[in-house]
Amino acid sequence: MRIFKIVCLFSLFFSLVGHAVEPMVPFRYAPHSISQTRLSGIDLSKGVNVGVVAEVGSILSGNLSSVPLNFVINLSAINPNVKKVTLTEFEYILKVDHVDFARGQVKKKYKFAPSSSGMVSIPVYLNLTTLLRSEKSATVQNMVKNFMGTGNRPTQITLYLKPVYQVGKETVIPTQHIPVIFTFQGNR
């Protein structure tokens, strides 16, 4: 009888170990595009003409109290896991040519089937006024020129992501930010 109990205990132990939660493999992110670029209401994503270039130049060199810049960074996201994973939200830090530009949080659900990929969009809203009045003005101007397709020096984007994943009923938050680094010049 004693041997039977030991065998049952071992069977129970190994069946529980077999159902242990598998560790989540981190997602991989890659740049896809930048879209919906607007500077002070001017849509830069549709191409530019001489009038737009002059207007943007005036905005960047003037003393406006507000110079809003809005754009969307689109990333390809790959779920390498064997389970369905939902990306529920994420924090981001955006650096342009090593200069802190923006920090934010996106609360939107993206569902990924096992071993699948999809798109994640990060809307960025910022006011360039302070940066335009600092020694970082050249960085801002080069980035805007690259958005317009008229830049002559690449812009480096470094995006640090801290996602929140839902795997079944378990919430998984990486301990460190995930860097996504890319450059663009002229047309995206």
Side-chain angles (χ1 to χ4, degrees):
M1 185 71 169
R2 189 171 197 158
I3 293 175
F4 179 73
K5 286 181 182 179
I6 292 172
V7 170
C8 287
L9 269 170
F10 274 111
S11 295
L12 179 62
F13 173 75
F14 286 115
S15 70
L16 290 175
V17 169
H19 296 294
V21 176
E22 297 175 28
M24 187 180 133
V25 178
F27 271 45
R28 292 188 308 272
Y29 298 92
H32 182 271
S33 63
I34 296 176
S35 61
Q36 302 175 35
T37 309
R38 299 183 73 78
L39 175 71
S40 293
I42 301 169
D43 188 352
L44 302 179
S45 56
K46 291 185 178 179
V48 295
N49 57 41
V50 175
V52 170
V53 171
E55 189 175 355
V56 168
S58 174
I59 290 168
L60 294 178
S61 62
N63 278 328
L64 299 175
S65 60
S66 177
V67 181
L69 175 65
N70 308 323
F71 56 95
V72 176
I73 298 175
N74 302 297
L75 301 174
S76 298
I78 299 171
N79 173 16
N81 295 282
V82 295
K83 291 186 176 185
K84 175 183 165 188
V85 177
T86 301
L87 173 59
T88 60
E89 64 182 87
F90 50 89
E91 294 176 4
Y92 68 86
I93 300 169
L94 173 67
K95 291 188 177 199
V96 176
D97 292 334
H98 309 289
V99 176
D100 281 342
F101 259 61
R103 293 172 183 261
Q105 185 174 23
V106 175
K107 290 189 176 195
K108 183 176 179 183
K109 290 186 178 183
Y110 295 93
K111 296 181 180 187
F112 292 88
S115 302
S116 69
S117 63
M119 297 295 291
V120 174
S121 297
I122 302 166
V124 178
Y125 308 98
L126 53 121
N127 187 343
L128 296 177
T129 305
T130 304
L131 288 169
L132 283 169
R133 292 181 182 156
S134 71
E135 69 277 355
K136 307 302 183 201
S137 178
T139 298
V140 173
Q141 291 181 18
N142 183 63
M143 179 184 68
V144 171
K145 286 177 185 177
N146 282 326
F147 281 150
M148 293 181 351
T150 61
N152 59 7
R153 182 174 49 88
T155 295
Q156 181 178 344
I157 301 288
T158 305
L159 188 63
Y160 295 98
L161 301 176
K162 188 146 191 189
V164 176
Y165 301 107
Q166 194 73 38
V167 184
K169 294 184 180 188
E170 182 182 357
T171 299
V172 178
I173 304 172
T175 56
Q176 296 181 9
H177 284 83
I178 301 166
V180 180
I181 302 168
F182 61 99
T183 60
F184 72 95
Q185 179 177 352
N187 293 330
R188 297 158 301 286

